[in-house]
Amino acid sequence: MTTLDEFVRKEYLPASEPPRNRPGTYTRKLGLATHVLRHLGGFPLRVLGPGDIERFMSRRMKEVTYKDTPPSPAEINRERSFLSAALNMALRRGMIERNPAAAVRKLREDNERDRTLTREEEERILSLSADWLRPLIVTALNTGMREGEIVGIQWIDVDREKGFIRVSHASKSHKVRYVPINAAVDEILDRDRKCLSAHVFANPKTGKPYRADSVYHAFKRAAIRAGLNDVVFHTLRHTCVSRLVLAGVPDRKIMKMVGHSSPHMVGRYTHLAP
């Protein structure tokens, strides 16, 4: 009997390779497959049931990620969606009679973390951060970009003449967006142009871009040293959005800039609007 591992590796993932999917999308699928197959890979396709998937999701909730925290409900839901998509392919090919993942409910996602930084807290973190980390922090505060998007910026994505950074390779929504370059980010781009790398933010010794998990941990250490235990790199994104709202920037412009898919995401900050 064909196991889930055999089907995913030999049929589903090869069918998802570029150009059918963007390289970034395919890479994300590989990451999702790692967790799913580690727990469920040995199950024969015809034996795998809803209960097995529910137990997998429960076990994942007790594990620890590189952030030293359990996977978020959103992460586990993405793994469930990946599994469901693979099983739908098996269903279309007549290898199973039903998709057991369809009977498993998604976890409730709580994305209402609205912690933002004051100017004083921002200065405190910057003063305690490593030299290589400060430009990434400033970029996040002025663009609202995620850490994965920032470390993925290549010089080919930067249009200094028009004043935009093109974000597509690591966009969570898989959609291209254009982030305006303000004076603070422009100054960083001037300085970091000296690094001989295709990436804007790269280790000068290796020429390789910084890893998102390294950025996360380095920032978390700086925040803890600053006495801010409830602050993570994503807090910078919330801070950027809140400051745009305070400045009176229209919701639609903020959505386009930071890549929010719903007005509800920006609406969490409307109480700040002048």
Side-chain angles (χ1 to χ4, degrees):
M1 297 176 70
T2 302
T3 65
L4 177 66
D5 188 284
E6 292 170 338
F7 177 77
V8 168
R9 296 187 189 280
K10 295 180 180 179
E11 299 195 47
Y12 180 71
L13 286 177
S16 302
E17 292 178 351
R20 292 186 179 92
N21 283 292
R22 293 177 181 173
T25 301
Y26 178 66
T27 300
R28 277 188 288 274
K29 286 189 176 186
L30 290 177
L32 295 170
T34 300
H35 299 298
V36 171
L37 298 181
R38 178 161 51 85
H39 288 275
L40 300 174
F43 281 84
L45 284 176
R46 290 188 175 275
V47 174
L48 185 64
D52 302 311
I53 299 172
E54 289 175 347
R55 284 188 286 274
F56 152 68
M57 294 172 70
S58 296
R59 288 195 295 269
R60 284 287 289 139
M61 292 171 66
K62 298 175 183 177
E63 293 182 351
V64 177
T65 69
Y66 72 85
K67 298 179 180 180
D68 297 324
T69 58
S72 68
E75 289 177 89
I76 298 173
N77 284 339
R78 284 194 290 271
E79 292 165 6
R80 175 205 163 278
S81 296
F82 168 85
L83 174 60
S84 183
L87 292 172
N88 274 334
M89 175 184 279
L91 181 64
R92 292 193 300 270
R93 296 186 178 184
M95 302 178 72
I96 54 177
E97 296 179 358
R98 61 185 178 86
N99 181 350
V104 178
R105 295 179 61 180
K106 292 183 178 180
L107 299 177
R108 181 179 179 277
E109 297 182 20
D110 182 10
N111 295 317
E112 300 296 321
R113 295 181 298 170
D114 295 343
R115 174 70 159 96
T116 60
L117 294 179
T118 65
R119 295 290 181 180
E120 187 275 331
E121 289 174 334
E122 172 190 335
E123 291 302 323
R124 213 186 321 160
I125 288 179
L126 284 170
S127 68
L128 294 169
S129 296
D131 291 341
W132 66 268
L133 181 61
R134 290 191 196 107
L136 285 85
I137 294 175
V138 173
T139 300
L141 285 168
N142 287 274
T143 64
M145 293 169 68
R146 304 173 178 90
E147 61 254 55
E149 294 171 341
I150 293 174
V151 298
I153 300 173
Q154 298 187 43
W155 288 109
I156 196 173
D157 301 319
V158 179
D159 190 330
R160 301 289 294 279
E161 184 177 336
K162 294 181 178 178
F164 287 98
I165 297 173
R166 182 177 184 271
V167 181
S168 62
H169 47 274
S171 172
K172 185 178 178 180
S173 64
H174 314 319
K175 296 178 181 178
V176 175
R177 74 179 194 274
Y178 296 88
V179 180
I181 298 172
N182 65 5
V185 176
D186 199 47
E187 183 179 340
I188 288 171
L189 293 173
D190 272 334
R191 192 202 64 193
D192 285 338
R193 188 59 173 135
K194 300 173 185 178
C195 181
L196 300 178
S197 171
H199 287 79
V200 173
F201 299 110
N203 187 323
K205 295 180 180 179
T206 64
K208 294 182 179 179
Y210 296 111
R211 291 168 52 94
D213 56 345
S214 299
V215 173
Y216 178 93
H217 283 300
F219 179 84
K220 186 63 179 176
R221 287 192 295 270
I224 291 173
R225 285 196 294 271
L228 305 172
N229 296 334
D230 60 339
V231 168
V232 295
F233 197 89
H234 200 77
T235 305
L236 305 177
R237 180 172 166 85
H238 288 306
T239 302
C240 175
V241 174
S242 68
R243 290 176 181 177
L244 290 171
V245 172
L246 276 168
V249 179
D251 288 1
R252 286 289 174 184
K253 287 190 176 182
I254 297 175
M255 285 175 61
K256 287 184 178 181
M257 174 177 170
V258 302
H260 280 159
S261 58
S262 166
H264 166 71
M265 300 299 289
V266 178
R268 289 151 56 184
Y269 304 92
T270 52
H271 65 284
L272 300 171

